[in-house]
Amino acid sequence: MTYTLNDVKELSGEDRYDYFLTVAAEQRELWILINDKQEFLKLYSDELELETLLVWPSADLATQYAQSASEALSAKSIALPQFFMKWVEGLEADHLQVNVFPNDTDDAWIMTAKELKSELQDVINSAF
């Protein structure tokens, strides 16, 4: 099924997560937001008492999310091999979770970087 940007943004958290896995596995990349100092966007949730790295399946979706930010942010691609080999370990060491494909609602899909790596590898491996 083909979705428009607005369609995808309106999906439930679980459906956005499934969409993310499919697109990221096909494209072999995920997207984050960075500021002008090359620092990646992370959010702290008082309610959950945790910090998360936000990731999207495309530059367009990440950029659209950034429009509501108080600072200038730009989308940056991370190739999945780089995410698997470097980012996962760093995120785990820094106790950062991953917020997969957030939108303007509180319907978030949060998991550890190791869990996301495993899920992405499963999708990639099932494609063969």
Side-chain angles (χ1 to χ4, degrees):
M1 179 176 198
T2 304
Y3 293 105
T4 67
L5 281 178
N6 286 332
D7 290 340
V8 173
K9 283 179 36 182
E10 299 302 318
L11 294 172
S12 70
E14 184 173 357
D15 289 340
R16 283 194 325 276
Y17 176 70
D18 290 341
Y19 179 84
F20 171 88
L21 289 177
T22 300
V23 173
E26 285 175 2
Q27 301 296 317
R28 302 290 201 267
E29 66 184 351
L30 55 80
W31 293 82
I32 62 171
L33 291 171
I34 59 171
N35 64 17
D36 58 354
K37 297 176 186 171
Q38 302 298 304
E39 299 166 328
F40 61 84
L41 175 65
K42 57 185 175 182
L43 295 181
Y44 181 78
S45 168
D46 289 327
E47 181 182 329
L48 300 174
E49 296 183 359
L50 58 86
E51 246 180 335
T52 60
L53 168 72
L54 288 71
V55 298
W56 290 267
S58 72
D60 290 341
L61 290 163
T63 301
Q64 200 168 59
Y65 183 91
Q67 291 173 352
S68 62
S70 59
E71 65 179 310
L73 298 168
S74 59
K76 176 178 174 58
S77 170
I78 299 176
L80 288 187
Q82 181 184 13
F83 180 75
F84 293 164
M85 296 173 67
K86 294 183 181 180
W87 281 76
V88 170
E89 185 178 316
L91 293 169
E92 295 285 326
D94 292 340
H95 305 288
L96 284 169
Q97 302 265 340
V98 181
N99 186 341
V100 179
F101 193 177
N103 67 1
D104 300 332
T105 69
D106 289 335
D107 188 14
W109 197 272
I110 297 173
M111 61 195 330
T112 68
K114 283 183 181 178
E115 291 169 330
L116 180 58
K117 175 184 176 181
S118 177
E119 293 277 333
L120 284 165
Q121 288 175 324
D122 287 348
V123 172
I124 291 167
N125 292 335
S126 70
F128 295 103

